[in-house]
Amino acid sequence: MHQLTHQFNSTAKYLHWISALVILWASISGLYIAFFELDSNIKSHILRFNVSLTTVFIPLFCWRIYHRLKYGVPAPHPAMSILETKLAHIGHTLLYILVSLVLVSGVLMMGHDVNVFGLLTIPQLLQQQHSIHFFETLHLYACRLLAALVLCHLAALIKHEMMGKRILKRMM
Ligand code: HEM
Ligand code: HEM
């Protein structure tokens, strides 16, 4: 169902901004750890925190997808061409797909039980080493692709804003 207003509703806005914070933090800190030297103690603290944070994020992201499918998106910004609207739709769909892939591969690649902030434990789901390795590789590549797509998302937004198309307001 498409809404006739040009604004996302407040639930969609909250879900978008919480998701953005979690994904930006997990991507920036994860890539920093992967590519730069860091004290191994700090590194393992950040990794453990990120695993808990992103596991807690899974039900929230499921809610976001449910909300998106049930309530749709607002009518396109009047200044957007049909091509731009289509490209934005493809880009946003890819973002949803990649985040889902990153979350599923993250959980499946764990070679031990996941302790979520000391509150609950999710058992190791796969036992075979080659399956774990497959999902680990998938996670690493999907994360890098997601980070690149998020950069495109931000670049497109900045370009539209600079051309006077107030897209950001739709999500504020
Ligand atoms: C919002 C979702 C997530 C994002 C954006 C994310 C992002 C990242 C990034 C950028 C890396 C570094 C990749 C690289 O080396 O190039 C990473 C590694 C890792 N992620 Fe995720 N992740 C997410 C979800 C998860 C989940 C749900 C789990 C497990 C429950 C998980 C477990 C891990 C682990 C254990 C590593 C370290 C892998 C290694 O060094 O071999 N991640 N993640
Ligand atoms: C500071 C960073 C971010 C800003 C300023 C921002 C801004 C926006 C804005 C203004 C929209 C509405 C576009 C429209 O009018 O159609 C939007 C939509 C969207 N954003 Fe972001 N975003 C940010 C980060 C992220 C991140 C990290 C993700 C990660 C997946 C993301 C995923 C999405 C998706 C999937 C939509 C489409 C929503 C839908 O149609 O259901 N955003 N964003």
Side-chain angles (χ1 to χ4, degrees), residues 8 16-17 64 68 73 92 96 153-154 157 167 170:
F8 283 84
H16 173 272
W17 291 115
R64 183 166 179 197
R68 171 70 170 75
V73 286
H92 292 158
Y96 283 119
H153 181 58
L154 296 181
L157 187 76
I167 300 289
R170 286 158 57 85

Side-chain angles (χ1 to χ4, degrees), residues 2 18 21 27 38 45 53 58 67 69 75 84 86 102 108 112 126 130 138 144 148 153-154 163:
H2 282 257
I18 295 169
L21 277 182
S27 300
L38 198 63
H45 267 90
L53 178 72
I58 293 172
H67 186 274
L69 294 174
E84 284 172 332
K86 277 203 174 128
V102 162
L108 293 179
H112 53 80
L126 295 179
H130 67 271
L138 184 63
R144 290 171 197 186
H153 181 58
L154 296 181
M163 290 169 71

Side-chain angles (χ1 to χ4, degrees), residues 134-145:
F134 169 79
F135 284 107
E136 194 173 27
T137 309
L138 184 63
H139 190 71
L140 300 193
Y141 284 108
C143 284
R144 290 171 197 186
L145 214 57

Side-chain angles (χ1 to χ4, degrees), residues 7-170:
Q7 282 265 327
F8 283 84
N9 70 29
S10 52
T11 308
K13 289 178 191 172
Y14 280 118
L15 289 170
H16 173 272
W17 291 115
I18 295 169
S19 307
L21 277 182
V22 171
I23 292 164
L24 286 174
W25 162 257
S27 300
I28 294 168
S29 61
L31 290 173
Y32 188 90
I33 285 174
F35 291 105
F36 296 96
E37 283 296 317
L38 198 63
D39 177 77
S40 63
N41 211 14
I42 300 179
K43 194 172 158 169
S44 74
H45 267 90
I46 294 179
L47 261 182
R48 235 175 304 133
F49 175 77
N50 282 6
V51 167
S52 288
L53 178 72
T54 51
T55 304
V56 169
F57 174 62
I58 293 172
L60 209 83
F61 193 69
C62 292
W63 179 19
R64 183 166 179 197
I65 290 184
Y66 166 78
H67 186 274
R68 171 70 170 75
L69 294 174
K70 184 150 191 244
Y71 297 101
V73 286
H77 190 288
M80 297 270 275
S81 68
I82 293 176
L83 179 67
E84 284 172 332
T85 306
K86 277 203 174 128
L87 283 178
H89 178 70
I90 293 170
H92 292 158
T93 307
L94 272 177
L95 279 169
Y96 283 119
I97 292 173
L98 271 176
V99 175
S100 308
L101 208 63
V102 162
L103 290 172
V104 170
S105 60
V107 172
L108 293 179
M109 76 189 235
M110 295 309 285
H112 53 80
D113 295 355
V114 173
N115 182 318
V116 184
F117 292 124
L119 297 173
L120 77 141
T121 302
I122 297 173
Q124 177 179 341
L125 296 175
L126 295 179
Q127 307 303 326
Q128 296 107 326
Q129 209 47 48
H130 67 271
S131 313
I132 291 177
H133 181 69
F134 169 79
F135 284 107
E136 194 173 27
T137 309
L138 184 63
H139 190 71
L140 300 193
Y141 284 108
C143 284
R144 290 171 197 186
L145 214 57
L146 174 63
L149 202 60
V150 167
L151 282 182
C152 294
H153 181 58
L154 296 181
L157 187 76
I158 291 168
K159 176 185 160 267
H160 287 310
E161 288 288 330
M162 284 172 71
M163 290 169 71
K165 300 177 195 169
R166 303 305 317 275
I167 300 289
L168 189 57
K169 260 189 173 163
R170 286 158 57 85

